Amino acid sequence: DIQMTQSPASLSASLGETVTIECRASEDIYNGLAWYQQKPGKSPQLLIYNANSLHTGVPSRFSGSGSGTQYSLKINSLQSEDVASYFCQQYYNYPPTFGGGTKLELK
Amino acid sequence: EVQLVETGGGLVQPGRSLKLSCVASGFTFNNYWMSWTRQAPGKGLEWVASITNSGGSTYYPDSVKGRFTISRDNAQNTLYLQMNSLRSEDTATYYCTRMYYGSYFDYWGQGVMVTVSS
């Protein structure tokens, strides 16, 4: 199985700040990567697919980038509603696997 | 609007069975793969099962293979997960998820809690 390692596990940032979350795959996943946001007490929601494509309705302050084994999610101008946990997921190979998550809090 | 509504969760003893259901609306159900994904309390996400749009093929991780069965009724826009021989480590919130052709999960239900305990 492909292992997905996210960093950091948690971070604290201020409103308006730019935040970056990293995800590393144990082998090349050829941009087969998605990012999800899970707000407290809610189900996950898709943000990004194919490493850099924005899902319908997702604000443009979210962006994804990367290639090979290294990928990142960037949130520009952090808003209070962005407080959540974020998960990456690879779908290049079965089984689809998730990163351990990054918990984002406000400073 | 895509909606996925799960039912059937609850408290069950180890070794027993439980069947989850998910009613879908807001899209053409028989055009999409569907899946179940779970999240243990305070933990990360784990894919549990997928089924093709026709129901002709199913996929499972080793952790549930032989114990869980995913199925669908396209006439009723309903997805199922039959869970047998349940273990304490199956305790989790189970999400019904629409799966984009076997890849990412583009819509999620609100989740249903399954607790396996004596």
Side-chain angles (χ1 to χ4, degrees):
Chain A
D1 298 1
I2 296 177
Q3 307 302 316
M4 304 300 292
T5 303
Q6 264 184 259
S7 61
S10 64
L11 79 154
S12 183
S14 302
L15 290 174
E17 197 173 325
T18 295
V19 169
T20 300
I21 298 169
E22 307 282 347
C23 187
R24 176 172 50 86
S26 59
E27 61 185 82
D28 196 328
I29 57 172
Y30 299 94
N31 281 18
L33 184 99
W35 289 97
Y36 303 89
Q37 176 193 64
Q38 185 176 31
K39 296 183 179 181
K42 300 293 187 182
S43 57
Q45 302 294 311
L46 176 67
L47 294 174
I48 302 280
Y49 61 95
N50 294 348
N52 56 25
S53 297
L54 211 61
H55 183 52
T56 305
V58 174
S60 58
R61 64 179 180 276
F62 291 91
S63 63
S65 63
S67 63
T69 62
Q70 302 275 6
Y71 298 86
S72 61
L73 172 71
K74 187 164 78 170
I75 310 173
N76 286 317
S77 189
L78 188 69
Q79 306 293 304
S80 58
E81 59 263 33
D82 301 333
V83 168
S85 291
Y86 293 84
F87 297 90
C88 61
Q89 176 234 333
Q90 71 79 23
Y91 48 88
Y92 175 69
N93 257 346
Y94 259 62
T97 47
F98 293 87
T102 296
K103 188 173 183 179
L104 173 60
E105 297 174 326
L106 281 179
K107 192 179 292 182
Chain B
E1 179 195 4
V2 172
Q3 287 201 318
L4 302 168
V5 180
E6 306 97 332
T7 57
L11 174 64
V12 60
Q13 293 179 327
R16 304 297 291 264
S17 299
L18 200 64
K19 187 171 186 176
L20 305 181
S21 299
C22 168
V23 175
S25 60
F27 64 101
T28 305
F29 186 67
N30 61 12
N31 281 354
Y32 288 88
W33 288 44
M34 296 294 294
S35 294
W36 292 94
T37 304
R38 69 184 179 184
Q39 185 172 36
K43 301 295 185 182
L45 298 164
E46 180 187 18
W47 165 72
V48 171
S50 295
I51 187 167
T52 56
N53 53 313
S54 67
S57 294
T58 57
Y59 305 87
Y60 307 92
D62 289 344
S63 58
V64 307
K65 196 175 296 182
R67 299 189 300 123
F68 288 12
T69 301
I70 188 172
S71 61
R72 65 193 295 162
D73 181 342
N74 284 346
Q76 300 294 323
N77 286 359
T78 303
L79 178 72
Y80 303 100
L81 183 67
Q82 176 68 47
M83 302 184 292
N84 298 333
S85 303
L86 281 161
R87 307 166 180 168
S88 58
E89 55 263 37
D90 296 318
T91 294
T93 297
Y94 285 73
Y95 295 102
C96 171
T97 50
R98 195 178 84 170
M99 198 178 196
Y100 188 79
Y101 298 105
S103 59
Y104 53 87
F105 309 100
D106 58 357
Y107 291 94
W108 298 61
Q110 85 285 355
V112 62
M113 185 69 200
V114 172
T115 302
V116 183
S117 173
S118 53

